[in-house]
């Protein structure tokens, strides 16, 4: 996205943006002197785009800026360790922890915020497939935005295509799931975000998603309940209207689970 310092930013495709985009007042030279996180925040605010924990902000991150972000996070992480009164100089195990955590956040567990959607090739439905199709279980690795604790689980996707639907390869479902899950969020929102992306890409008559996951903020801390998994689902289109279809999906899913 080309943004000169005086032109309003057009609301980008994947980001959740309002209509109150403002012209950026600062020049790129001014921005260059700011920390990368402030620079990216400035562009987001200027474009009236949301940047919640589970939002993708890739369109506002310029090449090289994720390296700068990692540097910033590492510095702040070092301050957190210091505040926890951990001797990161004397304790060889924690000497490089701040840098490792920064890299883990930006490049791995939260990368779905900073990287654009993986390329997905869509095929026209030439065979006019209109049978229920189930993909899963797909492994889910996410984190809760309340505690930054891991959420680990599985997801199943049911698609009822029509002749106008776009079909995407099976492995692409896993890549889209990974892109959405690698953000801090809560499970209900994760499933809704995934449903929105798939609805827009595949344009099926019906879409069903079930997610089952362990929340480490329940197991590692809090009530320390080791057996509590959370299951939630989203049903769209035909799955809402047709109880038989819903039953068929849930029955196939139970069968898949037990095999
Ligand atoms: Zn939590």
């Amino acid at each position: 996205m080309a943004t000169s310092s005086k032109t309003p930013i057009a609301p980008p495709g994947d980001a959740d943006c309002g209509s109150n985009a403002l012209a950026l007042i600062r020049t790129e030279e001014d921005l260059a002197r700011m920390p990368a996180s402030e620079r990216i925040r400035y562009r987001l605010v200027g474009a009236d785009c949301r940047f919640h924990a589970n939002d993708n902000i890739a369109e506002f991150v310029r090449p090289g800026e994720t390296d700068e972000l990692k540097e910033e996070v590492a510095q702040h992480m070092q301050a957190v360790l210091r505040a926890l009164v951990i001797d990161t100089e004397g304790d060889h195990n924690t000497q490089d922890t701040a840098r490792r955590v920064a890299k883990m956040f930006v490049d791995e567990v939260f990368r779905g915020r900073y990287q654009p959607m993986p390329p997905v090739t869509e095929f026209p439905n030439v065979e006019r497939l209109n049978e229920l199709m189930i993909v899963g279980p797909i492994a889910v690795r996410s984190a809760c935005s309340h505690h930054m604790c891991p959420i680990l689980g599985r997801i199943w996707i049911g698609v009822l295509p029509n002749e106008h639907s776009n079909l995407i390869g099976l492995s692409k479902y896993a890549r889209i799931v990974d892109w959405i899950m690698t953000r801090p969020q809560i499970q209900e929102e994760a499933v809704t975000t995934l449903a929105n992306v798939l609805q827009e890409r595949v344009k099926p008559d019906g879409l069903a998603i079930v997610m089952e996951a362990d929340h480490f903020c329940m197991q590692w801390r809090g009530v320390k309940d080791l057996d509590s998994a959370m299951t939630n689902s989203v049903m769209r289109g035909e799955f809402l209207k047709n109880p038989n279809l819903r039953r068929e999906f849930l029955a196939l899913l139970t069968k898949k689970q037990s095999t």
Side-chain angles (χ1 to χ4, degrees), residues 192-251:
T192 305
T193 309
L194 177 62
N196 292 345
V197 169
L198 290 178
Q199 187 68 43
E200 196 184 298
R201 291 269 144 182
V202 184
K203 299 182 173 52
D205 275 352
L207 178 68
I209 298 173
V210 170
M211 175 169 163
E212 176 197 273
D214 292 320
H215 289 240
F216 281 49
C217 55
M218 295 279 286
Q219 302 180 341
W220 188 27
R221 56 159 296 286
V223 294
K224 299 191 174 68
D225 184 347
L226 294 181
D227 295 320
S228 65
M230 179 176 166
T231 304
N232 71 324
S233 62
V234 169
M235 304 277 163
R236 300 258 170 100
E238 279 302 309
F239 284 95
L240 279 180
K241 291 182 222 153
N242 184 342
N244 288 332
L245 183 67
R246 210 157 52 227
R247 266 197 294 275
E248 189 188 348
F249 171 66
L250 295 172

Side-chain angles (χ1 to χ4, degrees), residues 123-125 160-167 201-205:
F123 308 98
N125 186 2
L160 186 74
N162 64 39
E163 59 197 279
H164 306 294
S165 293
N166 300 313
L167 302 180
R201 291 269 144 182
V202 184
K203 299 182 173 52
D205 275 352

Side-chain angles (χ1 to χ4, degrees), residues 86-245:
I86 292 173
D87 176 7
T88 56
E89 281 164 33
D91 174 7
H92 59 277
N93 289 325
T94 56
Q95 261 166 17
D96 227 8
T97 296
R99 192 193 54 82
R100 276 190 294 261
V101 172
K103 189 170 185 296
M104 175 182 79
F105 281 166
V106 178
D107 286 348
E108 296 173 291
V109 297
F110 302 153
R111 70 179 181 282
R113 300 194 75 231
Y114 309 106
Q115 295 181 4
M117 173 144 152
V120 175
T121 319
E122 291 146 11
F123 308 98
N125 186 2
V126 281
E127 303 288 336
R128 299 182 173 222
L129 301 171
N130 60 358
E131 297 284 323
L132 171 60
M133 196 175 85
I134 298 182
V135 190
I138 298 171
V140 164
R141 281 174 289 266
S142 195
C144 88
S145 46
H146 297 148
H147 304 94
M148 302 273 166
C149 280
I151 298 174
L152 301 180
R154 307 184 289 175
I155 219 163
W156 290 263
I157 301 165
V159 176
L160 186 74
N162 64 39
E163 59 197 279
H164 306 294
S165 293
N166 300 313
L167 302 180
I168 61 177
L170 287 182
S171 65
K172 298 302 190 294
Y173 283 94
R175 296 190 67 180
I176 293 175
V177 166
D178 183 73
W179 179 64
I180 287 166
M181 293 301 156
T182 47
R183 307 171 192 183
Q185 55 202 330
I186 63 166
Q187 185 167 333
E188 298 90 323
E189 289 176 357
V191 170
T192 305
T193 309
L194 177 62
N196 292 345
V197 169
L198 290 178
Q199 187 68 43
E200 196 184 298
R201 291 269 144 182
V202 184
K203 299 182 173 52
D205 275 352
L207 178 68
I209 298 173
V210 170
M211 175 169 163
E212 176 197 273
D214 292 320
H215 289 240
F216 281 49
C217 55
M218 295 279 286
Q219 302 180 341
W220 188 27
R221 56 159 296 286
V223 294
K224 299 191 174 68
D225 184 347
L226 294 181
D227 295 320
S228 65
M230 179 176 166
T231 304
N232 71 324
S233 62
V234 169
M235 304 277 163
R236 300 258 170 100
E238 279 302 309
F239 284 95
L240 279 180
K241 291 182 222 153
N242 184 342
N244 288 332
L245 183 67

Side-chain angles (χ1 to χ4, degrees), residues 45-103:
V45 171
D48 194 23
C49 290
R50 214 179 73 157
F51 50 104
H52 289 186
N54 61 342
D55 285 325
N56 178 277
I57 57 168
E59 285 156 275
F60 297 89
V61 181
R62 305 280 160 80
E65 285 182 341
T66 49
D67 287 336
E68 289 179 68
L69 285 182
K70 267 182 277 181
E71 195 51 51
E72 263 185 72
V73 175
Q75 279 172 26
H76 293 298
M77 202 56 221
Q78 186 62 39
V80 170
L81 294 169
R82 194 179 170 79
L84 290 168
V85 201
I86 292 173
D87 176 7
T88 56
E89 281 164 33
D91 174 7
H92 59 277
N93 289 325
T94 56
Q95 261 166 17
D96 227 8
T97 296
R99 192 193 54 82
R100 276 190 294 261
V101 172
K103 189 170 185 296

